[in-house]
Amino acid sequence: MNGGHDVGGMHGFGPINAESEALEPVFHADWEKRVFGLSRAASALGQWNGDVSRHARERQHPVDYLRHSYYENWLAGLETLLQETGLVTADELASGKAVRSVAEDVRNRLLRPQEVAESLARGSSAAMPLDAPPRFRPGDRVRAVNRHPAGHTREPRYARGRIGVIHEYHGAHVFPDLSAKGVRVGQHLYSVRFEASELWGENANRNGAVYVDLWEDYLEAV
């Protein structure tokens, strides 16, 4: 969807004051730790996946998305999912008190304190086996399809309709557009190099390039 989250190439947001990775703390405030913990604990209940979670954040009003900090967007998306899946009601969320119990199969998936470290270390892989061969090879010229889906997508708006070259093949991975709808299927994933001039025109750095990871459905041969 073309929402407030997809701002690549846009003007007017001011300079990026990036913190040095060597100095940047993992969390800037204690409440961010709590949001991260709540999100991990809630996702362990198995009611949604990572792409569903991303799309919940993207579905905010653009003004809200842009005014929120990173973990405020996480919290807004979590509140949406908790209500949409019936884990909490709006009244429970407002009061901070549960008035009913969730289903037993959900309770059985609770993330226990002693399981947190192992869960974080284990993570989850998006790689998937796929019988169909990849359509493209490194060096092939491709165009990012000019498409504007109303749902979740990982094809950035600034790349749509632009021509690039396959730089690397990453194998098959979960296709996020369908994953956000609860459908787990794999698609071939590529790193595509776009010359800066192709993306930004005459204002671009002539020596610059942008590498974008794009799934096969996002691409067409040139």
Side-chain angles (χ1 to χ4, degrees):
M1 61 180 298
N2 297 335
H5 62 287
D6 190 1
V7 298
M10 294 179 66
H11 294 128
F13 292 99
I16 298 173
N17 298 314
E19 296 177 87
S20 167
E21 289 191 14
L23 301 176
E24 182 183 8
V26 177
F27 301 104
H28 292 79
D30 285 343
W31 70 266
E32 293 184 343
K33 298 179 185 179
R34 295 180 64 84
V35 171
F36 180 79
L38 284 168
S39 297
R40 293 295 301 184
S43 65
L45 301 177
Q47 303 301 296
W48 57 78
N49 60 46
D51 292 306
V52 172
S53 182
R54 289 187 185 94
H55 190 40
R57 299 168 204 159
E58 295 166 357
R59 285 187 281 132
Q60 297 178 78
H61 191 286
V63 171
D64 292 328
Y65 189 96
L66 292 171
R67 71 180 175 85
H68 284 157
S69 68
Y70 181 74
Y71 280 109
E72 284 176 328
N73 280 324
W74 272 47
L75 181 59
L78 177 60
E79 291 175 349
T80 294
L81 291 174
L82 288 172
Q83 294 178 79
E84 290 181 348
T85 57
L87 291 176
V88 302
T89 67
D91 289 341
E92 289 173 322
L93 191 63
S95 68
K97 297 180 180 180
V99 297
R100 60 195 172 78
S101 180
V102 297
E104 182 178 0
D105 63 320
V106 175
R107 294 200 304 273
N108 290 337
R109 296 180 63 103
L110 289 177
L111 183 64
R112 311 293 177 181
Q114 64 272 20
E115 299 169 344
V116 172
E118 191 273 334
S119 173
L120 289 173
R122 182 177 67 248
S124 60
S125 175
M128 291 187 69
L130 194 62
D131 293 333
R135 289 175 54 203
F136 307 111
R137 298 179 180 179
D140 286 351
R141 296 179 76 235
V142 293
R143 178 185 290 107
V145 178
N146 189 4
R147 52 197 285 282
H148 298 266
H152 178 64
T153 186
R154 301 295 286 276
E155 182 185 6
R157 190 167 42 191
Y158 65 80
R160 297 172 194 169
R162 305 300 184 179
I163 294 175
V165 175
I166 301 293
H167 173 72
E168 186 177 358
Y169 171 59
H170 291 311
H173 290 69
V174 175
F175 185 48
D177 299 47
L178 291 179
S179 178
K181 300 176 181 179
V183 180
R184 186 179 175 86
V185 298
Q187 266 200 21
H188 298 295
L189 177 65
Y190 309 86
S191 172
V192 183
R193 175 189 169 105
F194 294 91
E195 298 300 325
S197 58
E198 173 69 13
L199 298 175
W200 319 123
E202 62 181 14
N203 296 319
N205 181 332
R206 294 190 178 187
N207 297 319
V210 177
Y211 294 80
V212 186
D213 286 342
L214 297 172
W215 275 260
E216 199 164 80
D217 261 17
Y218 301 162
L219 302 170
E220 59 187 9
V222 174

